[in-house]
Amino acid sequence: MFGSLGFSRKRLGRDGKPRYTAYYMDLKGMEKSAGTFSSKKEADRAWRDAESLVAQGRVGDPRRGRQTFERYVLDTWLPNHEIEATTRQSYTYTIHRHLIPEFGAMRMIDILPEHVRAWVATMKKNGVSPATIKYAKVLLILQPHLVIDDSSLSLVMAAAGAGLMPTSPL
């Protein structure tokens, strides 16, 4: 591959057998590992795949999607989201009242369109007002935009597939 900067490096595993770590360069030119494998062929495939994702603009650590929705929202998104104090208060209430009970324990990568549809149906059944449902959906959809920027999940696509994308800004 012309212009490729990826490579694999051989090392000995704990068991004394050779292992191959795949390396590639991220968008900032930093060396990143694409994993460790038992064969050079697998390692070479891994760094080539990683370089391909970088070239497509689909970069990031897939482990980030394994964190729970609650952990991401409360530890990463909300504290780093620049908003007015009253907006933060409203977001925090809605997140704790409507989003965390439904999605909190789920891993980010496990939230699918059917989960979003079921959640909306349950909120309607429980008599939650349409305005509150819309506000909660918008907050749910805001998470993935930032998560996508963080390259951990494409929940916004799940929300779009469920027909939940807002048609106008709040």
Side-chain angles (χ1 to χ4, degrees):
M1 173 188 267
F2 180 74
S4 174
L5 298 175
F7 62 95
S8 12
R9 183 178 295 145
K10 183 179 179 180
R11 64 178 182 81
L12 290 180
R14 291 185 186 137
D15 60 1
K17 294 181 182 178
R19 303 283 293 164
Y20 300 86
T21 302
Y23 294 95
Y24 67 99
M25 297 297 178
D26 69 7
L27 290 173
K28 294 181 178 180
M30 301 296 295
E31 187 177 285
K32 299 285 184 177
S33 169
T36 300
F37 304 88
S38 58
S39 76
K40 182 167 177 22
K41 183 178 178 179
E42 288 176 301
D44 288 345
R45 183 180 313 119
W47 69 254
R48 284 188 184 101
D49 290 347
E51 278 191 345
S52 176
L53 291 175
V54 169
Q56 294 172 29
R58 296 173 51 200
V59 296
D61 185 351
R63 293 175 294 186
R64 298 174 104 180
R66 294 185 199 132
Q67 66 187 319
T68 66
F69 180 82
E70 180 174 17
R71 181 171 158 230
Y72 176 77
V73 171
L74 298 180
D75 296 348
T76 303
W77 185 77
L78 193 58
N80 296 299
H81 196 57
E82 292 187 31
I83 49 179
E84 296 292 328
T86 55
T87 303
R88 180 174 306 282
Q89 183 178 8
S90 177
Y91 279 16
T92 301
Y93 172 80
T94 302
I95 287 166
H96 282 285
R97 176 77 172 106
H98 298 290
L99 299 176
I100 298 297
E102 185 69 26
F103 303 110
M106 295 178 75
R107 294 182 318 162
M108 297 291 285
I109 60 173
D110 293 335
I111 300 172
L112 301 173
E114 57 262 26
H115 301 122
V116 176
R117 285 190 292 270
W119 169 67
V120 169
T122 299
M123 288 177 56
K124 286 179 182 176
K125 181 181 157 196
N126 291 339
V128 177
S129 77
T132 299
I133 292 172
K134 180 180 178 180
Y135 188 73
K137 287 190 302 187
V138 169
L139 273 180
L140 178 65
I141 292 166
L142 282 176
Q143 305 312 315
H145 281 293
L146 295 171
V147 174
I148 286 172
D149 290 344
D150 291 345
S151 301
S152 20
L153 169 76
S154 58
L155 178 60
V156 73
M157 289 180 236
L164 304 178
M165 290 299 291
T167 55
S168 61
L170 289 177

